[in-house]
Amino acid sequence: MLTNEAYKPINCDDYDSLELACQKHWTLALTLKTGEQLKAKAKDILSRKNVEYLTVEIAGESSDLRLDHIASFSHPDLGTVTVSESD
């Protein structure tokens, strides 16, 4: 996905679920809109230049994922969440 495309905020409920995952430092199974799948520990949500990112840790390395590039995520305490755009 292009990083210079316009950011589309995600649904508030999905955002809240990601915030909870960060607070609890849960390891999430993530599927990106590109089809890539990964398991990563949720660390923080941050905003840079009006774009929101989920900071995750994968194999000890920190990485930022644009929230609007996440197709779905899951955790046993959350179930599977399909990310949708904000209304």
Side-chain angles (χ1 to χ4, degrees):
M1 300 218 149
L2 300 174
T3 57
N4 61 352
E5 69 188 71
Y7 178 72
K8 298 174 188 88
I10 66 169
N11 176 290
C12 290
D13 290 337
D14 301 342
Y15 185 96
D16 289 346
S17 293
L18 287 172
E19 275 191 320
L20 177 63
C22 290
Q23 290 170 357
K24 305 250 183 202
H25 301 288
W26 284 339
T27 297
L28 301 174
L30 295 147
T31 301
L32 304 182
K33 290 184 177 177
T34 61
E36 180 181 359
Q37 296 184 342
L38 47 106
K39 287 199 182 268
K41 183 186 282 189
K43 302 293 274 180
D44 197 10
I45 294 179
L46 56 96
S47 179
R48 284 193 308 259
K49 298 182 180 178
N50 298 318
V51 177
E52 295 170 310
Y53 297 88
L54 174 65
T55 301
V56 296
E57 184 180 303
I58 305 168
E61 296 289 322
S62 191
S63 182
D64 294 334
L65 305 173
R66 274 179 56 150
L67 298 189
D68 63 341
H69 288 184
I70 300 171
S72 66
F73 58 92
S74 64
H75 182 273
D77 291 339
L78 286 174
T80 299
V81 177
T82 301
V83 178
S84 57
E85 292 178 14
S86 180
D87 297 330

